[in-house]
Amino acid sequence: LTMHLIDSVPGLATPPGYSYAASSPGELFFFAGQVALDADGKMVGVGDFATQVKQTFANLGLALTAAGCTPASVLKVNYYVVGLTRDRLLAIRAVRNEFFSAPRPAATLIGVSMLFDPDALLEVEVVAVKSR
């Protein structure tokens, strides 16, 4: 079994202790959760959920591109939301609907008490198949 790991992505901070994505021989990619970090590893939009959603999806786009994937390549998405409310759900949907065209990937949304950084309010994790 040969796996391909993507441990650095231009425009994203180098992750400490994990890879951005891993692919199986069938070119299935399992992406690490994306958050609202900038290229220097600093949190964008501290306390501003809508800004973090935009940055998180921008980072996801960069990670997908680095793996040779696109939003249309995504099969499954998991959302982890600190302090989940209807307003936060609607903020995610607004950006999600621009990022993913219909039909959208299978999805799971989970409310959590915190993420790896107390300033992180959203983490988005996807599984995608490499574009040909």
Side-chain angles (χ1 to χ4, degrees):
L1 179 67
T2 302
M3 289 191 354
H4 175 69
L5 299 173
I6 296 175
D7 57 2
S8 66
V9 173
L12 296 180
T14 300
Y18 63 91
S19 296
Y20 276 111
S23 70
S24 67
E27 298 298 325
L28 191 61
F29 282 80
F30 297 84
F31 287 82
Q34 295 299 305
V35 295
L37 294 176
D38 66 14
D40 295 322
K42 294 189 167 98
M43 193 64 62
V44 173
V46 173
D48 183 341
F49 189 77
T51 297
Q52 287 201 14
V53 172
K54 290 175 188 167
Q55 183 67 44
T56 299
F57 274 92
N59 290 351
L60 178 57
L62 290 172
L64 286 166
T65 298
C69 297
T70 68
S73 307
V74 174
L75 303 171
K76 174 74 167 96
V77 58
N78 292 329
Y79 302 94
Y80 303 95
V81 183
V82 174
L84 180 59
T85 62
R86 177 120 179 103
D87 287 342
R88 289 191 172 185
L89 170 63
L90 295 176
I92 292 168
R93 284 182 180 170
V95 177
R96 176 208 64 194
N97 290 347
E98 291 180 16
F99 191 81
F100 295 117
S101 49
R104 292 183 181 85
T108 301
L109 181 121
I110 302 168
V112 298
S113 61
M114 72 171 288
L115 296 167
F116 77 102
D117 182 310
D119 291 327
L121 301 175
L122 171 69
E123 187 162 347
V124 178
E125 158 187 79
V126 302
V127 176
V129 64
K130 188 169 185 173
S131 301
R132 301 262 177 227

